[in-house]
Amino acid sequence: MSRRSPQKPQAKNPARPAEVVRREDDWTTRPELRLKVLGLPPDISTRALWDSFSPYGAVSQIEIFEDSRGMRDGSARVIFKPPPFEPFWQLIVPFRVGRGPGNGTTLRIFPEAPRRTFYHPSPVNPAIKYPEVMTLQANSIDFGIMYDRNTMMSMHTVIASPQGGIRFIQNMLYRETVVEFRVDINKRSELFRFSIPFAYLDTILRVDNGQSGNIELVVSLPTPPRFFRKLDERDTHETKARYWTEKDAWFRQTDITDFPLRVRDAPVTIKKPGPIIDIGRWTTYRLKFDISSNDAKSLFRQIGQALRDYNITIQEISGFRVASHREPAVWKYIDQPITAPYKPTSTLADLFKDESIPPLAFPVRYQLEVCISHGYLNEHNLGQEFIRQLRNMDPTKAQDILEYVANQEKRVFEPMELFDIKIIKGSASRPPIPQYCAFIRSATVTPSTVYFNTPTVEISNRVIRYYAEHADRFLRVRFADEKDEGKIYSTDKDTMNEIFTRVKRALRNGIKVGERHYEFLACGNSQFRENGAYFYAPLPHLEAQHIRNWMGHFDEIPYVAQHAARLGQCFSTTRAIIGTRTTIREIEDEERKGHVFTDGVGMISPFLAQLITHELGIVRASSEPPSIFQFRMGGCKGILAVSPSSKLQEITIRRSQYKFAARHEGLEIIKCSQFSASNLNRQIIVVLSTLGVPDKIFVEKQKAQLADLTLAMTNELKALTMLQKDIDPNQMTLALAGMILDGFQRCQEPFMMSVLRLWRAWSIKSLKEKARITIEKGAFLLGCVDETATLKGHFDESPVPKAHEPLEQRVKSLPEVFVQLSKGTNGKPEVILGPMLLARNPSLHPGDIRVVQGVDVEALRHLKDAVVVPQTGDRPIVNMCSGGDLDGDDYLVIWDPELLPCEWNHPPMDFTPARKIPLGRQVTPDDLTSFFVEYMKNDNLSRIAMAHLALADFMEAGVKSTKCLKLAELHSTAVDYIKSGVPARMTRDLRPGKWPHFMEKKHLPQENVYQSRKVLGQLFDQVELVDFVPVYDAPFDKRILNAYKIESTMLEDAAVIKRQYDAAVRRIMAQHAIGTEFEVWSTFVMNHSKASNNYKFHEEIGRISAALKDRFRALCYEKAGGSNFETLGPFSVAMYTVTADEISQAVAEARARKATMATDTMPMMSFPWLFQSVLGKVANGATVA
């Protein structure tokens, strides 16, 4: 930043300060100077302080302080970076801030002692210290692509000038490389920067061009970094803000172009219209430096050593070439076919001749754009002959070749060589899929580009099923930050405006692939929260509006948010029940005092429940069906609880379940009731801690769980006990328990031991990051209402139980619930009696966790693995639990006496939703897309939750503090935002000034993080993470390998299906950024793309994994000749043998090369475990002749 001449508008004829003696510890030698400012007026703004202080130098940060009551205390901190030109605070004339010459408030200003050394220790050798920020001036920077391994194609060059230098910055504090440069746009010089975290850097090429002192660095990234443009700092201050930083002037960018109007009206495509720099696709950067001076040479060496310390290789390369920018002709070949005669191409120049061929079949064209968008192929490498061969091939084979490229996830520089590879069959060859699934194309739109994804098999929804013949014209779109950065988070600043404008453009202008122009259709409710939507490529006779009209009659819904939610109801992931007809009976709700006690609850006959169980293939330990089904049926939603009094094919619907009129009236199931283990989390723990549960209770429970997890790796009984009690929502722990019972842990079978290790690593990670402590005396269950009206509800006049009262006295006034587990401690159904906790995630308010009394009611004993709540009383008890209802919410039930708090039933929060504002006219698609963008910008749910957690730990009163109570209220508003359209506005005073160490805010300065001594800090420090390392080198189970003599044809059949299965798994891994196949199979995912929260993603990956297994089981049934043990036994052994041979060969090769057995290079081994129970039978001697 250039230094300006100091101007002092607030002081008349200032006297010169006394001469400063410069010492080593003097402020003039520091990278920054912090000034404490006292005597400020209460209405002072950061802009006023900036105006007064910026004439003396570069102000990097301003913070106006408040006291513990949230009132401004008249002080502030102003940070200069670098230090100001002179010690203006020593002026004889007092420094003033305010309006008008000689007016304003007199300030007292004091330099603060430095908080740190401004040096960063090397992670390799802490004795070596690097400056926190090291800046090297560059002469020029080229933006382009790698044409081949040794050639960069430069697409644009920026040359440094006296008015605009190029800075190559290493920020050791934030562990990132930053490059700043200027670009002239429409006669304006704009300052840009992009930042690359060290974690995303692997290798930097160093090119010596032979000129003394001149060197080049080449950085080539697989995905684009974040780009920013700097605005005038004066225009980036908020009116009432207490905090401003120089970063507030850097605005995210989506394009660098001379023609913003072209971008404004264009659909989203890979090829952008008229960019100066295509920041999404030109991700190779060449910087030229002159390091002939000793200082520059020394700094360059220091930067290189610092990068090496962070495992970033500086690789010297010879023979590196730079090619000039040329427009790729491939787009002409596939977009605008002409009839010019064909001439073979042999040189690079031939690629750009104006010759073309007929267009590609759309599935091939789409898959080609999948490869180009991800960077596996680059259009500059694609010649006419490549396109001609694709065009002349069978489209299925061409698509398989391109799917192979996408599955490999590696750049191909010689595309013609692909035609010589023996390609396995992929999804293009269309092996059978379950009837409840569909192949879905998807795209991810990021700030700078778009990524198309290989079609994957997904559980369908009502709309896709009805329009099955046009399923390939639907595109599931997600809006996300740059690749690997996860979700686009909300902000109350304007720094993200360009990104939100791009989202709106995509929703308005659509997405184009070849001749198909996808338009916005609608979005499911879960999609909405994950910033996703469905697009559709219209046909002359079937446009997006036709589909919306078929979905239902929404014209009478005048609220945009509610309108969007009702449309989204049709996109819920469901399984259609097609085996029977139903009769509908309608009844009224139970309502009192403005509350609906039966909100979302209907009934279903035992006969229909049994039929659904059979049709969906739900495996049950007993012959009884699940007690509750979450459903959709036409415009109705909610749950259906089994009712013995319901007639044979009868479904009972309440008014609260009816949402809109729909043409489609078929029954669809989302999920059913089942037992899941109860787990605490950070929010529940801080609430219970505030209510009086001692810290040692949580600490001891976590300590015991950690010890049990370690013991479970070697002790079968302990592993069995934990897996059968800590049951996850996908029931995969029970699958693991079954494998142990079959002896696979005893013989150290490699897949079994790998998944067991994964389960342990996943459990420990959940303890570290979320305090996910499993509570044995508890359950996580669907809720439903007591149709008999027997259970006692909550009455406002009932006395609140006091801590000093005897237990017998305290429970008398408690509301009642009925909880019956299908499998209790003795293996039989068990009714839970006595006081217990009832809560719903997330719980932020001290009244969100209720103490209730478990009772036994004979008339309710047909309901199992559910929590039955009363319909009597003055207010539904589920409404007190974070504003819950009964249309499919899960509830945490805990009857562990150690977790009963001292304070019972703190007054609950009022969860009355904000008043919705009608639009005053019919809702249009443009209204829907505008709300979509507004929701993205104002969805503060996670920020509010994080602030609440931090302040609950920091404040002495915990969740009862004023700020936490306000945040709990805001959180409820934020939850309802998707339905109400009323955003939760989080004011600056509710943002934590300091963060506890367990929240791992590593990017913050040290003074903004404190060591928490409260319970969450203790729990965090108690856990040490463990890495997941699969077991590849253990022997496979000889009990299976020697069970049958397998014919070679059967082994070949199994090998063919395995290759298809492996490819399908890799597509799922790529789509969701999952690291290993073991995570896909088990659903214990360590890390993912962050498109949704971990709990929602656990449910989603459960559905995806189940559909994958169903699909390939069906394929195996077909190839084996049946699904009985006599046919599957030998075939499953063939599957196991093929897998064992592949792994054994890879292990031998790795050992010979002394290479690491990494998951990305080793073959997959989950394939035979599609038939886990069959393998168990074989291993235990159940063979056939």
Side-chain angles (χ1 to χ4, degrees):
M1 183 179 294
S2 61
R3 294 192 174 191
R4 289 163 291 196
S5 301
Q7 302 172 5
K8 307 170 182 60
Q10 302 302 328
K12 290 184 177 180
N13 302 318
R16 294 180 61 82
E19 188 170 339
V20 179
V21 179
R22 300 185 182 277
R23 305 183 306 275
E24 282 300 314
D25 63 344
D26 191 35
W27 59 270
T28 59
T29 65
R30 302 175 198 162
E32 70 177 32
L33 177 67
R34 292 166 172 254
L35 297 178
K36 187 68 176 289
V37 184
L38 304 177
L40 290 168
D43 61 346
I44 193 69
S45 66
T46 59
R47 170 64 190 272
L49 287 170
W50 188 92
D51 285 340
S52 298
F53 283 82
S54 60
Y56 296 94
V59 176
S60 68
Q61 184 177 310
I62 299 170
E63 184 175 6
I64 302 170
F65 295 111
E66 291 181 343
D67 58 24
S68 59
R69 299 169 299 163
M71 305 295 290
R72 294 192 175 188
D73 62 8
S75 66
R77 176 182 293 124
V78 178
I79 301 178
F80 285 84
K81 187 185 293 188
F85 313 120
E86 56 182 331
F88 58 88
W89 57 90
Q90 297 178 3
L91 297 175
I92 295 174
V93 176
F95 188 90
R96 297 176 181 271
V97 61
R99 295 183 177 275
N103 298 322
T105 302
T106 301
L107 305 179
R108 289 172 289 156
I109 306 172
F110 306 95
E112 292 185 332
R115 299 288 184 92
R116 58 186 193 275
T117 63
F118 303 105
Y119 283 88
H120 190 79
S122 162
V124 177
N125 183 1
I128 298 175
K129 310 286 185 183
Y130 299 112
E132 283 184 354
V133 178
M134 295 179 281
T135 302
L136 192 63
Q137 299 294 328
N139 294 337
S140 65
I141 179 172
D142 290 277
F143 298 82
I145 57 112
M146 291 300 293
Y147 182 79
D148 60 38
R149 289 179 177 83
N150 293 306
T151 304
M152 173 188 179
M153 183 175 284
S154 175
M155 318 297 273
H156 185 81
T157 303
V158 175
I159 299 174
S161 67
Q163 294 76 31
I166 298 170
R167 304 205 303 162
F168 182 66
I169 304 165
Q170 306 307 310
N171 191 315
M172 308 307 295
L173 188 64
Y174 294 109
R175 298 173 188 173
E176 64 179 1
T177 294
V178 178
V179 178
E180 291 184 2
F181 60 96
R182 284 191 172 273
V183 177
D184 292 330
I185 301 176
N186 297 326
K187 299 181 180 180
R188 299 190 323 272
S189 178
E190 302 277 9
L191 180 61
F192 293 89
R193 70 158 44 155
F194 61 89
S195 59
I196 311 170
F198 286 173
Y200 294 173
L201 280 172
D202 180 32
T203 302
I204 297 176
L205 302 180
R206 174 176 173 171
V207 182
D208 191 341
N209 58 19
Q211 299 179 17
S212 177
N214 290 336
I215 61 156
E216 300 172 5
L217 293 182
V218 178
V219 179
S220 187
L221 301 177
T223 58
R226 296 181 177 190
F227 273 74
F228 302 81
R229 177 170 61 96
K230 190 166 189 182
L231 273 63
D232 190 325
E233 292 181 357
R234 290 172 294 187
D235 301 329
T236 60
H237 296 260
E238 297 176 28
T239 305
K240 297 181 179 181
R242 294 190 303 107
Y243 186 83
W244 177 89
T245 174
E246 183 252 358
K247 288 185 177 181
D248 291 344
W250 288 97
F251 278 44
R252 286 289 300 277
Q253 293 298 288
T254 60
D255 302 277
I256 300 179
T257 179
D258 272 328
F259 306 104
L261 291 181
R262 282 194 201 173
V263 174
R264 186 190 67 184
D265 299 325
V268 172
T269 57
I270 292 177
K271 189 173 182 291
K272 286 189 174 182
I276 296 176
I277 301 172
D278 187 341
I279 63 177
R281 305 201 58 231
W282 300 349
T283 58
T284 296
Y285 315 101
R286 180 180 68 148
L287 294 111
K288 292 184 177 180
F289 301 93
D290 178 1
I291 58 169
S292 54
S293 71
N294 290 334
D295 287 347
K297 194 173 297 181
S298 174
L299 179 58
F300 183 82
R301 288 199 195 100
Q302 193 175 30
I303 288 174
Q305 186 57 53
L307 291 173
R308 290 186 190 95
D309 286 353
Y310 280 92
N311 201 32
I312 300 167
T313 303
I314 311 294
Q315 179 184 335
E316 295 191 18
I317 184 172
S318 59
F320 188 82
R321 300 182 300 274
V322 178
S324 301
H325 172 218
R326 303 172 189 175
E327 285 294 328
V330 66
W331 299 113
K332 293 183 180 180
Y333 299 156
I334 58 180
D335 282 338
Q336 300 171 357
I338 59 176
T339 57
Y342 166 66
K343 295 179 182 179
T345 60
S346 58
T347 66
L348 182 65
D350 289 333
L351 299 179
F352 305 97
K353 292 182 179 179
D354 196 22
E355 299 176 2
S356 191
I357 54 179
L360 296 168
F362 181 78
V364 180
R365 168 63 186 268
Y366 174 85
Q367 195 62 36
L368 179 62
E369 295 214 18
V370 169
C371 296
I372 293 174
S373 67
H374 284 275
Y376 309 139
L377 294 174
N378 188 280
E379 59 265 45
H380 291 86
N381 297 114
L382 303 180
Q384 186 174 354
E385 179 61 16
F386 179 82
I387 301 301
R388 184 176 295 278
Q389 287 210 36
L390 279 184
R391 174 67 182 84
N392 292 337
M393 293 175 69
D394 174 78
T396 299
K397 185 176 180 182
Q399 193 176 346
D400 280 341
I401 288 175
L402 295 171
E403 285 195 13
Y404 170 82
V405 175
N407 290 341
Q408 296 304 302
E409 298 184 351
K410 294 178 182 177
R411 173 68 186 276
V412 176
F413 291 106
E414 299 293 340
M416 293 301 296
E417 295 178 358
L418 294 172
F419 298 112
D420 300 327
I421 300 174
K422 183 180 179 181
I423 303 296
I424 63 164
K425 292 182 178 180
S427 65
S429 302
R430 295 292 168 127
I433 62 174
Q435 64 178 4
Y436 60 87
C437 295
F439 278 99
I440 301 294
R441 293 188 173 102
S442 63
T444 302
V445 177
T446 70
S448 64
T449 189
V450 58
Y451 300 97
F452 297 103
N453 303 307
T454 299
T456 55
V457 176
E458 299 181 8
I459 298 177
S460 61
N461 54 57
R462 178 187 304 176
V463 178
I464 301 294
R465 281 193 296 270
Y466 186 80
Y467 293 100
E469 62 183 308
H470 304 301
D472 66 333
R473 303 191 74 86
F474 291 88
L475 184 71
R476 189 168 49 75
V477 179
R478 183 168 67 92
F479 296 92
D481 212 326
E482 300 300 355
K483 205 172 186 182
D484 302 325
E485 295 286 348
K487 186 177 178 179
I488 297 173
Y489 286 99
S490 65
T491 176
D492 54 1
K493 298 180 180 180
D494 294 331
T495 53
M496 299 280 283
N497 278 1
E498 283 286 333
I499 292 177
F500 295 123
T501 300
R502 174 170 165 82
V503 174
K504 176 61 179 178
R505 283 200 306 262
L507 294 166
R508 182 187 63 224
N509 301 337
I511 299 172
K512 193 171 183 183
V513 182
E515 79 281 4
R516 288 195 183 179
H517 193 140
Y518 291 92
E519 301 173 354
F520 170 79
L521 176 61
C523 50
N525 294 330
S526 60
Q527 274 188 307
F528 218 112
R529 295 193 187 279
E530 297 158 13
N531 302 342
Y534 273 101
F535 281 51
Y536 171 75
L539 292 165
H541 65 282
L542 185 63
E543 298 179 355
Q545 189 58 50
H546 297 150
I547 296 175
R548 285 191 289 266
N549 291 341
W550 171 85
M551 288 160 59
H553 303 288
F554 307 103
D555 292 346
E556 297 179 359
I557 303 175
Y559 311 103
V560 178
Q562 189 178 27
H563 192 110
R566 297 299 171 240
L567 281 169
Q569 197 171 310
C570 300
F571 288 93
S572 298
T573 301
T574 57
R575 296 276 299 271
I577 305 302
I578 57 177
T580 186
R581 292 183 177 180
T582 59
T583 58
I584 307 299
R585 182 170 71 100
E586 297 181 10
I587 61 174
E588 293 298 321
D589 282 287
E590 187 68 30
E591 299 184 53
R592 278 186 310 281
K593 296 189 174 182
H595 296 290
V596 182
F597 287 73
T598 53
D599 189 8
V601 184
M603 290 175 279
I604 189 171
S605 70
F607 171 78
L608 275 179
Q610 197 69 261
L611 187 146
I612 292 170
T613 303
H614 181 266
E615 186 165 334
L616 298 186
I618 299 172
V619 179
R620 302 281 294 174
S622 69
S623 59
E624 295 180 354
S627 297
I628 301 174
F629 298 90
Q630 188 179 15
F631 82 110
R632 299 286 187 267
M633 187 169 63
C636 299
K637 66 186 287 276
I639 64 168
L640 300 173
V642 172
S643 171
S645 62
S646 295
K647 297 178 182 178
L648 196 62
Q649 293 178 303
E650 185 177 78
I651 289 177
T652 302
I653 297 294
R654 284 189 165 92
R655 183 178 297 276
S656 61
Q657 297 181 286
Y658 178 83
K659 305 301 180 182
F660 62 90
R663 297 181 185 178
H664 182 278
E665 294 184 349
L667 177 62
E668 303 164 333
I669 302 300
I670 297 176
K671 66 179 181 180
C672 60
S673 57
Q674 62 183 18
F675 175 88
S676 290
S678 63
N679 297 286
L680 302 179
N681 56 46
R682 286 178 169 177
Q683 286 88 356
I684 294 282
I685 290 172
V686 293
V687 173
L688 288 176
S689 179
T690 300
L691 295 175
V693 177
D695 293 356
K696 66 178 182 180
I697 298 295
F698 303 108
V699 172
E700 288 301 318
K701 287 184 182 296
Q702 179 172 270
K703 182 179 178 181
Q705 186 171 342
L706 287 168
D708 287 347
L709 284 167
T710 300
L711 183 59
M713 294 300 100
T714 56
N715 186 298
E716 287 187 37
L717 182 59
K718 177 55 69 176
L720 264 178
T721 302
M722 293 192 72
L723 291 166
Q724 290 175 336
K725 288 182 178 177
D726 186 8
I727 302 172
D728 67 296
N730 295 323
Q731 310 279 293
M732 289 308 299
T733 57
L734 295 179
L736 273 178
M739 294 164 76
I740 293 175
L741 288 171
D742 287 328
F744 291 118
Q745 184 180 16
R746 192 178 312 117
C747 71
Q748 298 286 289
E749 201 284 330
F751 181 77
M752 163 71 211
M753 294 310 298
S754 295
V755 178
L756 197 64
R757 284 185 179 185
L758 173 62
W759 166 70
R760 176 176 178 248
W762 176 77
S763 298
I764 291 175
K765 185 173 186 284
S766 298
L767 285 171
K768 183 76 170 177
E769 297 177 356
K770 301 183 179 303
R772 185 182 176 273
I773 301 172
T774 301
I775 304 302
E776 183 177 335
K777 297 179 179 179
F780 193 58
L781 307 171
L782 271 172
C784 70
V785 78
D786 167 26
E787 297 288 355
T788 69
T790 304
L791 297 173
K792 180 179 69 175
H794 164 84
F795 292 92
D796 294 336
E797 68 273 11
S798 297
V800 177
K802 302 294 191 298
H804 64 272
E805 295 175 341
L807 181 63
E808 297 78 9
Q809 182 65 29
R810 299 180 79 185
V811 300
K812 287 182 179 179
S813 59
L814 293 179
E816 296 173 339
V817 298
F818 175 81
V819 176
Q820 181 180 205
L821 306 182
S822 58
K823 187 177 180 181
T825 52
N826 60 359
K828 298 179 180 180
E830 178 183 1
V831 177
I832 307 301
L833 304 175
M836 62 182 71
L837 301 178
L838 180 69
R840 173 178 170 267
N841 289 322
S843 293
L844 277 66
H845 189 273
D848 283 348
I849 300 179
R850 313 306 295 175
V851 180
V852 295
Q853 177 76 351
V855 298
D856 188 6
V857 178
E858 181 72 28
L860 298 176
R861 285 199 175 179
H862 61 284
L863 297 172
K864 299 181 178 69
D865 296 331
V867 52
V868 186
V869 299
Q871 61 166 286
T872 61
D874 295 326
R875 180 177 174 182
I877 59 173
V878 291
N879 178 261
M880 303 181 196
C881 299
S882 309
D885 55 30
L886 297 172
D887 70 350
D889 286 357
D890 293 292
Y891 290 88
L892 183 68
V893 184
I894 296 176
W895 53 93
D896 187 333
E898 290 187 324
L899 292 174
L900 285 175
C902 297
E903 181 184 352
W904 288 10
N905 293 342
H906 184 92
M909 196 168 79
D910 180 5
F911 292 99
T912 303
R915 189 175 70 87
K916 293 177 286 190
I917 302 174
L919 190 61
R921 56 174 171 77
Q922 286 191 2
V923 177
T924 66
D926 188 62
D927 296 323
L928 296 173
T929 58
S930 293
F931 176 63
F932 186 100
V933 178
E934 285 300 311
Y935 180 84
M936 285 183 66
K937 187 171 184 179
N938 297 305
D939 178 20
N940 291 315
L941 192 64
S942 62
R943 295 171 65 209
I944 293 169
M946 290 296 100
H948 179 276
L949 186 64
L951 289 172
D953 185 84
F954 183 77
M955 300 294 226
E956 186 177 347
V959 297
K960 291 183 179 180
S961 66
T962 303
K963 287 190 175 183
C964 283
L965 292 174
K966 179 60 178 175
L967 285 166
E969 184 180 331
L970 281 175
H971 191 273
S972 175
T973 303
V975 168
D976 288 338
Y977 180 24
I978 197 169
K979 298 177 183 177
S980 69
V982 179
R985 305 291 186 187
M986 183 178 168
T987 54
R988 285 265 181 174
D989 60 296
L990 294 176
R991 297 179 188 175
K994 291 183 178 293
W995 297 82
H997 74 288
F998 62 79
M999 296 187 74
E1000 299 186 278
K1001 299 288 184 178
K1002 296 177 181 178
H1003 63 286
L1004 292 178
Q1006 189 174 355
E1007 61 265 27
N1008 292 109
V1009 177
Y1010 68 92
Q1011 187 77 18
S1012 170
R1013 304 298 179 189
K1014 286 189 176 181
V1015 62
L1016 292 182
Q1018 298 173 50
L1019 294 171
F1020 179 84
D1021 294 339
Q1022 191 181 42
V1023 181
E1024 292 293 334
L1025 292 174
V1026 297
D1027 293 328
F1028 166 55
V1029 181
V1031 180
Y1032 288 113
D1033 52 359
F1036 280 72
D1037 195 336
K1038 288 185 169 49
R1039 297 178 300 166
I1040 300 174
L1041 294 174
N1042 298 330
Y1044 298 97
K1045 184 177 179 181
I1046 306 298
E1047 299 291 334
S1048 59
T1049 54
M1050 184 176 288
L1051 290 172
E1052 290 171 5
D1053 289 342
V1056 169
I1057 300 175
K1058 182 180 187 298
R1059 287 194 291 269
Q1060 294 179 336
Y1061 169 84
D1062 291 352
V1065 173
R1066 292 189 192 281
R1067 281 192 287 274
I1068 293 171
M1069 290 166 57
Q1071 182 181 3
H1072 299 284
I1074 298 172
T1076 69
E1077 61 164 328
F1078 306 98
E1079 295 163 77
V1080 174
W1081 186 91
S1082 68
T1083 74
F1084 302 136
V1085 177
M1086 298 290 285
N1087 294 291
H1088 58 90
S1089 61
K1090 304 173 186 175
S1092 57
N1093 66 52
N1094 287 338
Y1095 179 74
K1096 287 292 183 185
F1097 185 75
H1098 191 70
E1099 288 186 330
E1100 181 183 354
I1101 194 63
R1103 291 191 292 267
I1104 292 169
S1105 181
L1108 170 81
K1109 293 170 184 175
D1110 284 351
R1111 173 190 175 193
F1112 281 93
R1113 283 181 189 131
L1115 203 58
C1116 292
Y1117 295 152
E1118 180 183 342
K1119 189 61 69 174
S1123 59
N1124 54 43
F1125 180 75
E1126 286 70 22
T1127 53
L1128 271 184
F1131 196 80
S1132 65
V1133 172
M1135 295 163 67
Y1136 192 82
T1137 303
V1138 166
T1139 303
D1141 289 346
E1142 288 184 6
I1143 297 292
S1144 299
Q1145 182 180 345
V1147 168
E1149 292 174 357
R1151 284 173 173 167
R1153 300 193 317 269
K1154 296 182 179 179
T1156 303
M1157 298 178 200
T1159 54
D1160 58 345
T1161 59
M1162 294 294 289
M1164 292 188 169
M1165 68 163 85
S1166 61
F1167 173 57
W1169 297 95
L1170 291 170
F1171 299 105
Q1172 165 212 323
S1173 61
V1174 176
L1175 291 177
K1177 286 183 180 181
V1178 172
N1180 287 287
T1183 59
V1184 294

